[in-house]
């Protein structure tokens, strides 16, 4: 069920904080260059606010009360996570913050785009449709789907910095007439009822404290007969919360990816139907017999590289690559180029990478549980 009380929104406060923290770095090329212009006082505030939910709260001592405290501050937790992690994501992964399947000989960027195209295909998107992207990041998938399907997309995001970057990228690619980005909490959308022809979410609604809550909001803003499709992050039904090793994997993913409450596949399916949708298709795409598993770039396995350009992506994720990044970011902090907390954030992402690989190898977790559902006429 959706929580009885949602976090109050304060867009003026969030915009002021984003301006104080990021300054003009939203206009800088992504990656390490964007990390250089952060305000150290605001950075410390973001680090403290985010890591208060995780420091000294390991899988062995986690209680339901701790999880409920994270859920109660879901929007703040997610917003500060992306305040801290967005530049690292762009440096290490690119502008599309999601996983994908890999075909034989397929490059990383080709595979990412194909994953987005497949979702558009499963939705039956057509020229001129008005589409909502729930949790749009810096707009990588929205730009690709707008070009692929000819649709007009509104990206919803609760992080001002990402909205600014997404808007700049859209203008750079000449897509401003097709794409717009708006600030908001997906648990309490401001759009009128029956606004959109279609809605999609790519690995974003996992940040909700309640899947039924966010799916219900999507149901409300979708026109009757409209389609909703999602790649959802879920623990599989093989996950056992009473197993300490399983809990450690789940918590590692949640901490390193800004997630307040991840649930099982069965709960995700129940949530989408409870929201009112008619489920037309559901499948764990991670179980497809692909040439390479979805988590291979995180595992740092050079044997699975699909193109020469992927060497640099995979190299960053090897133990040597992560160690080099740890030391380099630490050096930047020491000399005052990067703000304190950047290294701690990078280390948290590295921990998450290990947990994601373990979850994938043991079939305990999937980042691509596909659900395609329709709002009845």
């Amino acid at each position: 069920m959706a929580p009885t009380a949602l976090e109050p929104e304060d867009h003026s406060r969030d915009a002021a904080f984003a301006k104080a923290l990021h300054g003009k770095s939203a206009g800088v090329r992504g990656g390490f260059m964007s990390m250089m212009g952060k305000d150290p006082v605001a950075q410390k505030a973001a680090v403290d606010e985010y890591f208060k939910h995780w420091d000294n709260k390991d899988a062995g001592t986690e209680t339901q009360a701790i999880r409920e405290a994270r859920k109660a501050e879901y929007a703040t937790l997610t917003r500060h996570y992306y305040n801290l992690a967005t530049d690292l994501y762009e440096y290490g992964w690119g502008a599309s913050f999601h996983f994908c399947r890999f075909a034989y000989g397929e490059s990383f960027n080709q595979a990412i785009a194909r994953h987005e195209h497949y979702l558009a295909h499963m939705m039956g998107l057509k020229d001129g449709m008005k589409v909502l992207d729930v949790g749009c990041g810096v707009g990588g998938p929205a730009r690709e789907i707008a070009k692929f399907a000819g649709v007009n997309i509104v990206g919803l995001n609760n992080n001002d910095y990402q909205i600014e970057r997404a808007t700049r990228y859209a203008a750079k690619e000449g897509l401003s007439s097709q794409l717009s980005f708006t600030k908001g909490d997906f648990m309490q959308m401001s759009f009128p009822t029956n606004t959109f022809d279609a809605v999609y979410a790519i690995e974003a609604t996992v940040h909700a404290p309640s899947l039924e809550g966010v799916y219900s909001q999507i149901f409300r803003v979708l026109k009757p007969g409209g389609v909703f499709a999602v790649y959802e992050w879920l623990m599989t039904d093989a996950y056992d919360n009473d197993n300490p090793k399983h809990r450690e994997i789940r918590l590692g993913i949640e901490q390193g990816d800004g997630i307040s409450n991840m649930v099982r596949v069965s709960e995700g399916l129940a949530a989408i139907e409870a929201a009112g949708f008619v489920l037309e298709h559901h499948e764990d795409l991670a179980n497809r017999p692909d040439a390479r598993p979805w988590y291979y770039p995180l595992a740092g396995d050079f044997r699975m590289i699909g193109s020469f350009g992927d060497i640099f992506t995979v190299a960053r994720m090897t133990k040597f690559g992560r160690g080099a990044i740890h030391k380099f970011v630490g050096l930047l902090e020491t000399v005052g180029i990067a703000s304190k907390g950047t290294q701690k954030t990078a280390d948290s992402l590295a921990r998450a990478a290990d947990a994601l690989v373990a979850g994938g190898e043991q079939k305990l977790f999937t980042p691509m549980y596909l659900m395609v559902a329709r709002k009845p006429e």
Side-chain angles (χ1 to χ4, degrees):
M1 295 295 292
T4 55
L6 300 175
E7 272 199 81
E9 293 189 276
D10 189 337
H11 292 188
S12 297
R13 174 204 61 196
D14 297 345
F17 185 85
K19 184 177 181 180
L21 172 58
H22 300 291
K24 297 180 179 179
S25 61
V28 177
R29 182 179 177 183
F32 270 123
M33 292 301 296
S34 297
M35 296 180 209
M36 304 302 107
K38 310 304 180 184
D39 176 78
V41 175
Q43 175 93 351
K44 183 179 185 304
V47 168
D48 292 346
E49 185 65 32
Y50 181 71
F51 283 100
K52 75 178 185 182
H53 291 288
W54 313 103
D55 287 346
N56 304 312
K57 297 180 176 71
D58 60 26
T61 60
E62 184 188 51
T63 64
Q64 188 59 34
I66 290 172
R67 293 184 67 76
E68 291 299 324
R70 292 201 295 264
K71 288 167 64 176
E73 297 187 11
Y74 68 94
T76 299
L77 183 150
T78 303
R79 185 171 58 256
H80 282 309
Y81 171 75
Y82 284 111
N83 275 331
L84 297 170
T86 293
D87 296 327
L88 290 164
Y89 270 41
E90 288 200 62
Y91 163 74
W93 201 258
S96 289
F97 299 169
H98 63 79
F99 292 104
C100 62
R101 297 166 56 206
F102 292 95
Y104 177 79
E106 190 174 40
S107 73
F108 177 83
N109 288 333
Q110 286 175 323
I112 287 285
R114 180 168 63 87
H115 201 58
E116 295 160 358
H117 297 170
Y118 185 72
L119 189 69
H121 160 71
M122 291 296 289
M123 296 174 72
L125 296 185
K126 295 180 173 58
D127 279 3
M129 292 177 72
K130 185 175 183 179
V131 179
L132 177 65
D133 179 339
V134 178
C136 63
V138 296
R143 295 192 297 279
E144 188 64 35
I145 290 173
K147 289 181 285 189
F148 175 77
V151 294
N152 301 306
I153 300 176
V154 176
L156 179 65
N157 196 319
N158 85 334
N159 183 279
D160 298 81
Y161 180 60
Q162 289 193 341
I163 291 172
E164 191 173 352
R165 291 190 74 79
T167 301
R168 185 175 70 85
Y169 289 143
K172 182 179 179 181
E173 294 190 23
L175 294 169
S176 296
S177 63
Q178 281 181 263
L179 300 177
S180 64
F181 302 94
T182 188
K183 166 83 170 180
D185 176 359
F186 55 28
M187 294 295 293
Q188 43 192 329
M189 297 184 194
S190 60
F191 306 112
T193 299
N194 302 336
T195 295
F196 297 97
D197 299 308
V199 180
Y200 69 83
I202 300 179
E203 302 184 22
T205 45
V206 67
H207 293 294
S210 159
L211 287 182
E212 183 182 338
V214 67
Y215 293 163
S216 295
Q217 282 291 295
I218 291 167
F219 184 89
R220 182 184 65 79
V221 303
L222 186 62
K223 292 178 182 178
V227 65
F228 166 52
V230 57
Y231 288 137
E232 193 62 83
W233 278 34
L234 293 166
M235 303 306 294
T236 70
D237 289 330
Y239 171 79
D240 178 7
N241 200 55
D242 293 327
N243 184 318
K245 294 295 186 182
H246 289 195
R247 283 202 312 275
E248 186 176 346
I249 289 170
R250 189 257 302 155
L251 188 63
I253 295 171
E254 289 177 334
Q255 174 181 334
D257 292 289
I259 300 166
S260 66
N261 182 53
M262 192 156 53
V263 300
R264 294 183 182 89
V265 167
S266 55
E267 294 171 82
L269 291 170
I272 202 165
E273 292 185 328
F277 284 104
V278 177
L279 193 59
E280 296 184 340
H281 179 83
H282 66 95
E283 176 188 5
D284 185 359
L285 295 180
N287 288 333
R288 291 281 187 96
D290 294 319
R292 295 167 288 168
W294 61 265
Y295 52 81
Y296 105 82
L298 297 181
D301 190 342
F302 285 107
R303 295 171 299 176
M304 295 186 182
I305 286 173
S307 73
F308 178 78
D310 294 346
I311 291 175
F312 303 102
T313 298
V314 175
R316 297 185 187 108
M317 302 309 300
T318 62
K319 288 186 178 180
F320 176 81
R322 291 188 209 171
I325 291 171
H326 173 85
K327 291 178 180 179
F328 182 58
V329 173
L331 175 63
L332 294 178
E333 285 190 8
T334 300
V335 300
I337 296 176
S339 295
K340 297 290 185 182
T342 305
Q343 186 181 58
K344 185 174 185 177
T345 303
D347 290 346
S348 182
L349 293 177
R351 178 190 175 191
D354 290 336
L356 287 162
V357 171
E361 289 177 337
Q362 297 176 43
K363 301 292 186 181
L364 298 175
F365 165 80
T366 176
M368 53 184 68
Y369 198 91
L370 171 63
M371 293 183 277
V372 182
R374 195 168 300 276
K375 180 175 180 176
E377 294 278 4

